[in-house]
Amino acid sequence: MDVALRNVPSGRAPMFSLLFPASVTLQGGQAASIEFNPETGLLTRHAQREPGGRLEYRVESLLDYVAPEGDHIADSPPGDGLRTGAAAFSVGPVRELAERLLREADVPVEGERDAGQIRRAAQAMVNYFRTQFAYTLEMVVPKEGQDPILMFLFDTKRGHCEYFAAGMVALLQSVGIPARIATGYATSEFNDVGGHYVIRESDAHAWVEVALRPGRWETFDPTPPGELQSNQRETSGLLAWLRQL
């Protein structure tokens, strides 16, 4: 995958790629120190340069990579708060809702589950959020002492992508299915003139990754797809063509 970044800051900055990056080649003779953190999947570079420049590189990723047993990415890196949330939601309305969705999907509520059952449980939750919840950037403030995830799941049922992802992770973890929030960018804007995808700051997005088995994570996105499409620029017509030029 060839990537070109505009307005690149100086010093340490993230480099975008698909999991798992195997090699990175900087274009134009640029020099930098590149690091990969296997615990977070984050690729970063550190360079002394003036901010606001352009960075071009080619990255090759292992799309079918499966980490060896005992050497897979941590379910929940220290300090991210997800384990605390899982324990908090192991009883109560979140757990009850998750159990109902699992039963409707014909997935065991207790005991071991195979990859197919875990995938079916996750997809049932995706369908639930996409049909019963609404996307909005106009958020209300939780009441004093109210958990924002509980507010989203049982009160407002409205929120942005981070609420959808957090709500689904809470449901999955409450019934013992390893899940985590992933953040990045999602776009469908393709520049036909330049032959590349355009990714903007407004394309920032959050989704869910579920462990089907140790080392094998699969992506699920509970946010209604119409939200992503609404963020994209018009890609047809004269004005869109002029923008691409």
Side-chain angles (χ1 to χ4, degrees):
M1 178 175 67
D2 293 323
V3 182
L5 302 178
R6 295 181 177 178
N7 301 321
V8 180
S10 61
R12 190 178 183 89
M15 300 176 68
F16 303 99
S17 69
L18 301 175
L19 288 179
F20 282 84
S23 68
V24 180
T25 304
L26 296 177
Q27 307 297 320
Q30 302 179 75
S33 174
I34 300 174
E35 301 175 0
F36 174 65
N37 187 334
E39 288 296 315
T40 62
L42 184 63
L43 187 69
T44 59
R45 73 100 175 89
H46 184 88
Q48 297 297 328
R49 54 175 295 165
E50 293 297 325
R54 181 182 178 93
L55 175 66
E56 298 183 46
Y57 59 92
R58 171 168 293 181
V59 57
E60 297 182 359
S61 299
L62 304 175
L63 301 183
D64 295 326
Y65 176 81
V66 178
E69 292 285 347
D71 189 33
H72 56 279
I73 294 179
D75 295 346
S76 181
D80 69 355
L82 291 182
R83 282 298 166 204
T84 302
F89 295 137
S90 61
V91 295
V94 174
R95 167 84 183 200
E96 293 170 1
L97 174 58
E99 289 182 354
R100 177 170 68 83
L101 294 175
L102 261 59
R103 293 191 185 96
E104 293 175 356
D106 194 25
V107 175
V109 173
E110 301 286 352
E112 295 186 2
R113 310 175 184 93
D114 59 33
Q117 292 171 326
I118 294 176
R119 182 183 290 111
R120 196 160 66 246
Q123 190 58 52
M125 295 180 184
V126 168
N127 297 338
Y128 174 71
F129 281 111
R130 290 189 173 187
T131 57
Q132 304 298 320
F133 289 67
Y135 177 85
T136 182
L137 293 176
E138 299 177 0
M139 297 301 301
V140 298
V141 179
K143 300 176 182 177
E144 184 176 356
Q146 183 182 28
D147 188 292
I149 295 180
L150 294 178
M151 178 194 71
F152 170 72
L153 288 175
F154 303 105
D155 186 6
T156 63
K157 293 191 175 183
R158 296 169 59 87
H160 49 69
C161 58
E162 291 181 347
Y163 274 88
F164 280 85
M168 181 171 170
V169 166
L171 289 174
L172 289 166
Q173 290 194 355
S174 73
V175 289
I177 297 177
R180 62 191 182 189
I181 299 173
T183 58
Y185 294 83
T187 185
S188 62
E189 183 181 347
F190 187 77
N191 187 311
D192 293 307
V193 177
H196 58 260
Y197 281 96
V198 180
I199 303 175
R200 309 178 187 278
E201 289 186 10
S202 59
D203 295 325
H205 190 52
W207 59 93
V208 176
E209 291 181 346
V210 181
L212 302 184
R213 58 186 177 87
R216 169 61 76 179
W217 294 85
E218 188 164 311
T219 297
F220 295 87
D221 193 347
T223 303
E227 176 266 323
L228 297 179
Q229 297 171 1
S230 67
N231 282 342
Q232 309 303 325
R233 289 193 176 192
E234 177 61 43
T235 57
S236 62
L238 178 59
L239 291 179
W241 181 74
L242 291 175
R243 279 197 299 266
Q244 291 180 2
L245 285 177

